[in-house]
Amino acid sequence: MIGENSLNLCFEKLMVFGGGNCNNGKMGGAAGREITEWKDIPVELLLGIVSLVDDDRIMILASGVCSGWRDAISCGLIHLNLSWCKKNMNNLVLSLAPKFTKLQVLNLRQDKPQLLDDAVEMISKNCHDLQDLDLSKSFKLTDYSLYVLAHGCPILTRLNISGCSAFSDNALAYLARYCRKLEVLNLCGCVRAATDTALKAIGHHCNQLQIVNLGWCEKVSDAGVTSLAYGCPNLRELDLCGCILITDESVIALATNCPHLRSLDLYYCRNITDKAMHSLAQSGVKNKREMWESVKNRYGEGLVHLNISQCTALTPPAVQAVCDLFPALHTCPGQHSLIISGCLNLTSVHCACAVQAHRALAATPHPAL
Amino acid sequence: MIVLNSSDGATFEVEESVAVQSQTIKHMIEDNCADTSIPLPNVNGVTLARVLEYIKKHAEAKDDEEGLKSFDAEFVKVDQASLFEIILAANYLDIKGLLDLTCQTVADQIKDLTVEEVRAIFNIMNDFTPEEEAKLRNDHAWAFE
C-alpha cells in the first residue's frame, strides 16, 4: 500500500532535471536524471516491489540492504504483518516501531504470547497514524498497554484484543474515551475487560461502531448491550455468543435502535424468548416500509445472519416470522444463515427456498410407484 | 503516428493507438502537448526502444494470452541495470502492465535471497555505520531464525 504523497514526490524528483534538455539535439547519455542506480530507486517503486512478496519479512530484509532502501521503506510502509513471528515479536516491534512511523495497519496476532507492554508503548510513541491493530492473544499485556494506546493511537478504527484476558474494564473504558473513531472492536474472550461498565463507556464515546464481538464475555448483561444499542446507531454486526446473562431486553434495544443490524449471534443465550423474535420481526417490517419511503436500499437487506442455537425457549411461529421477513436468512443447506442447532423444537422452521425445493420434489411424479 | 524523442535525442515513431498504452503519453495527447513530437527527457533511447517493443507486441497480440505470456517471460530476461531502466520508464510512462511485470520479476528474484545477495545482484554498496549494521543484524536474526 503506497502513500499518494510519496508518488507525487517521486514524480517531481524524476521531472526536475529532465526539463529543458531534450529538444536541442544534445548527444550523450541520459540527460541529467538523478536516479541511475538501484540504491536510489524511488520510494513507491521499491514499496511496490516488496509488497508483491507475500512474506512481510522482506520489509526487514530490504531495510537492511542500504540506507536508501531503509529510508524508502520507513517513509512509505503502511501495512505490516508480524503474526508469523514465533519467538521474537517483542524485540522486533521494539526495533521496528521507531522506524516504521507511517504504519496504518499492524497485525501482531500471536500463537505463542510474546508481546509485552514496552513494545506496545513503543508503538504508541511512534505510530500515530495507526488505524488497524490486531493484538489478539496477547496474554502478557497489562492495562498499561491500553492506556498508552489511548493516547498514542487516537485514530484507531479497528482494534482486535480478543483473548487478551489480563485487561480490566477500567482500562478498556479509558481507551474508549480517547479512541472515538472505532468502527470494529473485537473483545471475544475478554471476560475481565468486557463488562457493562466498559460497554457503557464504549456506547457513550464510540458512536461509529459497526462491528462488535463480545463472544464469551459472560459478565455482559442487558445494561451493557442496551448502552451499546443506544450509543451506536451504525451497528451492523454483534456477536453475543455465550453472553448468558442477556435477555429479550437487549434484543429489543438492538431491534429498535440499530436499523442497519445485519448479523446477530445469540448462541447459548438461554433467556431469549419469542418476545425478542417479535421485536426483530417488527424492525423488519418497519425497515421495509421506510425503504420504500426514503432512498431505496438505505437499510439494505436487514438481517443476513442470525444464530439462535441453544435458545431453547423459542417457538416455531416466532422464528418463522423472522425468517419470512428477512429474505437473506436461509435454513437450506449451503446457505446456512439462520442457525438453529440444538433447538429441537424449531426443526419445522424453513426458509422460502427450502420450502420450494420441498414442493418441487413432492410434485415430481415417481416412476417407480 | 506519434513521434517520441528520448533523452539522448533518438526519435521513434509509433501509432497513436499503441502509444496510448502509456497513460502519460495519452494525457499529453489529450492535453494537446503533442503537436510535432513528444519529448521524454527521462527515458534514454535504448530503454524507449524496449518499452515500445513491449507495447507494440501487447497491442498486436492482444488476445493471444499464451503468446503474450511467453513474450513477457523472455522480455524480462535482461541484466539488472536494464531492468532498472525499464521499471523507471514504465513508471514514468505509466504503463501498468509493464510496471506490474517488471516489479513482479524483481520481487520473485529477491524473495529468497540474503541481504548480501541482494546487494550483489543490484550492485548496491553497504553504506551503514557499524552501529547501524549491528542493529540491522539483530532485526534480521529475530525475523529469520
Side-chain angles (χ1 to χ4, degrees), chain B residues 87-102:
Chain B
I87 288 180
L88 290 184
N91 185 47
Y92 169 61
L93 293 170
D94 197 357
I95 303 171
K96 186 176 188 309
L98 182 56
L99 188 59
D100 289 347
L101 171 66
T102 46

Side-chain angles (χ1 to χ4, degrees), chain A residues 14 33 64-65 67 95 99, chain B residues 8 42 84-85 119 127 139:
Chain A
L14 280 177
R33 189 189 66 199
V65 169
S67 61
S95 175
K99 293 189 228 187
Chain B
D8 45 0
N42 293 319
F84 185 63
E85 293 291 330
R119 286 180 188 145
D127 61 349
D139 288 348

Side-chain angles (χ1 to χ4, degrees), chain B residues 21-37:
Chain B
Q21 282 181 58
S22 155
Q23 293 297 308
T24 307
I25 293 178
K26 182 164 179 255
H27 292 142
M28 283 187 189
I29 296 175
E30 284 167 357
D31 294 344
N32 285 319
C33 304
D35 350 314
T36 43
S37 59

Side-chain angles (χ1 to χ4, degrees), chain B residues 102-120:
Chain B
T102 46
C103 285
Q104 186 68 59
T105 303
V106 178
D108 292 339
Q109 282 172 357
I110 61 173
K111 71 174 185 229
D112 292 319
L113 298 182
T114 65
V115 173
E116 289 77 18
E117 285 166 344
V118 172
R119 286 180 188 145

Side-chain angles (χ1 to χ4, degrees), chain A residues 50-242:
Chain A
V50 293
S51 311
L52 291 171
V53 178
D54 232 344
D55 182 349
D56 267 13
R57 288 183 294 178
I58 195 76
M59 305 301 171
I60 296 162
L61 190 123
S63 299
V65 169
C66 64
S67 61
W69 283 30
R70 175 198 60 195
D71 296 341
I73 294 188
S74 293
C75 155
L77 190 65
I78 289 178
H79 248 265
L80 184 63
N81 177 1
L82 295 179
S83 62
W84 44 265
C85 204
K86 304 277 179 254
K87 251 171 74 175
N88 293 302
M89 190 189 279
N90 204 60
N91 285 327
L92 271 177
V93 174
L94 282 170
S95 175
L96 298 178
K99 293 189 228 187
F100 298 153
T101 58
K102 302 290 194 307
L103 281 178
Q104 295 177 15
V105 180
L106 182 56
N107 183 348
L108 299 175
R109 182 183 184 86
Q110 294 135 80
D111 276 327
K112 272 179 63 190
Q114 301 155 66
L115 222 54
L116 302 172
D117 290 335
D118 58 356
V120 178
E121 184 175 29
M122 197 57 90
I123 294 170
S124 73
K125 284 193 168 144
N126 290 283
C127 307
H128 301 299
D129 293 342
L130 206 55
Q131 295 175 34
D132 183 339
L133 179 60
D134 188 344
L135 290 172
S136 40
K137 294 165 81 173
S138 299
F139 297 140
K140 294 187 179 178
L141 294 181
T142 74
D143 285 347
Y144 185 73
S145 284
L146 290 182
Y147 290 124
V148 294
L149 274 177
H151 290 290
C153 305
I155 64 170
L156 274 177
T157 57
R158 303 172 72 105
L159 179 62
N160 184 344
I161 51 172
S162 60
C164 293
S165 39
F167 291 149
S168 76
D169 56 357
N170 286 326
L172 180 55
Y174 188 88
L175 181 110
R177 271 224 290 286
Y178 292 89
C179 297
R180 301 190 176 205
K181 299 198 171 181
L182 281 172
E183 294 173 10
V184 179
L185 183 58
N186 190 337
L187 303 171
C188 187
C190 296
V191 182
R192 279 190 69 217
T195 65
D196 290 343
T197 306
L199 286 179
K200 280 179 190 158
I202 292 170
H204 190 73
H205 298 291
C206 306
N207 311 112
Q208 316 288 341
L209 275 174
Q210 297 181 25
I211 300 176
V212 180
N213 187 332
L214 296 171
W216 313 108
C217 297
E218 51 191 31
K219 291 189 188 168
V220 168
S221 78
D222 291 336
V225 179
T226 50
S227 294
L228 210 59
Y230 293 136
C232 308
N234 289 326
L235 208 54
R236 278 156 171 70
E237 298 176 24
L238 182 59
D239 188 332
L240 296 168
C241 287

